[in-house]
Amino acid sequence: MSDPIAKPVPGVDIPPRPGQRTGTRFQRVLRTISLRQVTGAPRRAAGPGEVIFAAGFFGLSLILLLLLPFQTDWLPRTKAFVQPRFWPAVATLTMLVFSAGYLLRALAAHPSGGAWQEIKGCLRPLEFAAWFLAYVQLVPWAGYLLATALFTCALSWRLGYRSLRWIGLATLFALGTVLVFRSLLGVNIPSGAIYELLPPGGFRSFLMTRF
């Protein structure tokens, strides 16, 4: 009994046309079939923020590589591994290669939309950086203890921990931070201008030197 005739596979069992160059079909397969189609995995989705981030990281890597000859030296009669330019060049080239791959991967993915949500996610670290800058500006006026307590309580409120329990824990954390860094380690932090409002004496000096 003869074996049944197998069904032809489209694109594979079609014989080459007369005059068709060798490798044409292989090039077409490379262009049309991706690894995800072979493995059956769904195509990855990427938002516009990811593409912008990948492009920015690639541009930063390229700028660092172009500035490398102006920021580092190559010493004569010195081994390559100890050259001042060698390891920065390795690092920037690695950044460039991986950022280029990341950019291509983001460009090949499906656009997922939600640009505003991505922009909000990118701006959120800037918000907390602004909180910290405000805290730094407040220390010379309110003093280390009061400014740290206001900063930790404000962050607790901003993150959603708004009950008296969490506000109290944030205040205790601020007090512990001040005691460790200012009182025990003696970190040189300018005393607050608010202490000048206290009457002269030992208590004002104690607050200015310890808190």
Side-chain angles (χ1 to χ4, degrees), residues 150-184:
L150 291 175
F151 177 65
T152 54
C153 292
L155 280 185
S156 299
W157 179 84
R158 176 63 183 85
L159 294 175
Y161 301 99
R162 300 174 181 176
S163 64
L164 291 177
R165 174 191 174 191
W166 291 110
I167 296 299
L169 289 176
T171 305
L172 289 177
F173 176 79
L175 179 60
T177 302
V178 173
L179 288 176
V180 169
F181 285 96
R182 188 67 187 272
S183 301
L184 297 180

Side-chain angles (χ1 to χ4, degrees), residues 89-168:
V90 172
T92 50
L93 278 174
T94 305
M95 286 175 56
L96 187 68
V97 170
F98 281 96
S99 62
Y102 181 38
L103 178 60
L104 292 176
R105 185 169 178 263
L107 290 175
H110 271 305
S112 62
W116 176 238
Q117 294 299 326
E118 287 204 24
I119 292 174
K120 287 173 63 177
C122 294
L123 291 179
R124 194 173 186 189
L126 298 180
E127 177 202 343
F128 289 101
W131 280 96
F132 183 73
L133 291 177
Y135 165 61
V136 172
Q137 295 296 323
L138 185 62
V139 168
W141 297 93
Y144 190 33
L145 176 60
L146 182 58
T148 306
L150 291 175
F151 177 65
T152 54
C153 292
L155 280 185
S156 299
W157 179 84
R158 176 63 183 85
L159 294 175
Y161 301 99
R162 300 174 181 176
S163 64
L164 291 177
R165 174 191 174 191
W166 291 110
I167 296 299

Side-chain angles (χ1 to χ4, degrees), residues 61 64-65 68 72 74 80-81 83-98:
S61 305
L64 290 178
L65 185 63
L68 201 60
T72 58
W74 190 269
F81 291 104
Q83 290 285 347
R85 188 177 297 171
F86 179 76
W87 290 110
V90 172
T92 50
L93 278 174
T94 305
M95 286 175 56
L96 187 68
V97 170
F98 281 96

